[in-house]
Each structure stands twice: as C-alpha cells, then as structure tokens.
Amino acid sequence: QKALDGKANIDAWITPTSQGDKQLPKILTEMLTAKKYAVVHFNLGLHGWQKGRIPEGQFETLTRGMVQAMKKASPESKLIWATITPVTVKGEPEKLNPEIQPTIVEHNAMALKVMKEEGVAINDLAGLMAPNLKLAAGDMFHWKPEGREIQAKAVAEAIGKALPAK
C-alpha cells in the first residue's frame, strides 16, 4: 500500500475461502460493483488444498467461473492473478511440504491455464518465493517480514504497471 501511495487507492479483501465456496461469485460481484477499480490483483487458491474444499475435478472450472464473474462485475478492471506461494514443512521452512505442495503446484498449473485463456495477467509469486524459502515463517503458509516485503514489492510493481496512464 505504501509503495502505491498517491498512485492508487487500495482495498484489500482477505478471506479463508476457496473457489469451492458457492457464494464466491455473488460476493465478488457485490465487491466489484460497489466501486470502480482500475486494477484487481488477486489470488485465491491456498485455502483450497484440503480435500473436499473444492469438489474433485472442479478446480479449473470453478477458477474460470471466478474469473468470469470478476470480468462481468468489473469489465473495466485490469485483472492480475498471483500464483499460490510455496507451502513449507512446519518448523523446517527451507523444505517444501511433500503432502501439500504437489496440490499447490497442480492448482497453480490449472489456474495458469485458465488465466492465459481468459487474458488475465500473471504475477508469479510462487516463482519469486521458491528460491527464498529461508524467508518462510516456519508455520507452513506464511512469510517472515523480509519475505512479505519481497512479495509486496512485486505486487506493487505489477499493479503500478497496470494502472492507466494519467
């Protein structure tokens, strides 16, 4: 937010939901029609790794539906999707979690396919953080301040580039 101060007004929506939430298209529509947005930088995927959160075989279809709902609700917005960052072993942040990370890789691949087909820009936070696992917080999912700073810089840069010229 600080990096874009004076360039953009930032709204943040943080949720523990996934594409499997049947209310998601409605929620996105309500949020995106409440104001006009030039850019929507989003990521939704980390909360979908658990079995049953997203119906088997539906990740790609539900992700496409999510993107299409966003496009319909805010057609003037430039959409940017951030890849899902790596999941590490609890207490061993420099190791990828062997149980969860394969799902993350699979979900990123499916979402990348959807984003490319839908013309959505991609901010590869997974690729950015993969060589920086030492900056993982050690709780499997979160990042130390230095890791969050790297991600924040990448997000601000992606949004800044996507903002309309003044």
Side-chain angles (χ1 to χ4, degrees), residues 3 11 13 32 95 119:
D11 289 336
W13 182 57
L32 294 174
K95 292 183 182 176

Side-chain angles (χ1 to χ4, degrees), residues 1-165:
Q1 202 166 358
K2 287 179 198 171
L4 293 168
D5 196 31
K7 297 175 189 167
N9 295 317
I10 308 294
D11 289 336
W13 182 57
I14 301 165
T15 180
T17 195
S18 73
Q19 289 89 325
D21 182 343
K22 290 180 181 13
Q23 293 298 311
L24 185 60
K26 179 179 181 267
I27 293 166
L28 289 171
T29 298
E30 288 172 0
M31 285 187 338
L32 294 174
T33 56
K35 294 181 184 178
K36 280 195 174 262
Y37 292 97
V39 179
V40 176
H41 187 286
F42 67 102
N43 167 276
L44 196 62
L46 188 58
H47 291 278
W49 66 266
Q50 305 95 326
K51 275 221 178 297
R53 296 252 5 230
I54 297 175
E56 192 71 34
Q58 292 297 305
F59 183 89
E60 194 173 316
T61 301
L62 291 170
T63 299
R64 186 177 313 283
M66 174 186 73
V67 169
Q68 290 174 348
M70 293 170 77
K71 283 178 156 183
K72 185 177 178 186
S74 190
E76 69 283 350
S77 298
K78 170 81 173 173
L79 299 180
I80 304 170
W81 178 71
T83 55
I84 308 163
T85 54
V87 175
T88 60
V89 173
K90 189 170 187 150
E92 297 181 71
E94 293 193 43
K95 292 183 182 176
L96 292 172
N97 186 298
E99 294 163 18
I100 300 170
Q101 186 60 21
T103 300
I104 299 304
V105 170
E106 181 183 3
H107 284 185
N108 271 335
M110 286 188 283
L112 278 167
K113 178 179 181 271
V114 169
M115 299 311 153
K116 287 177 182 175
E117 290 171 357
E118 291 290 334
V120 174
I122 296 159
N123 189 358
D124 188 12
L125 296 184
L128 179 67
M129 298 315 291
N132 289 295
L133 295 181
K134 66 183 178 293
L135 300 178
D139 67 353
M140 298 171 38
F141 304 106
H142 299 97
W143 299 86
K144 293 176 184 174
E146 302 92 330
R148 292 192 309 269
E149 186 62 34
I150 289 171
Q151 292 174 55
K153 183 177 177 186
V155 170
E157 186 175 309
I159 292 170
K161 286 179 182 177
L163 288 171

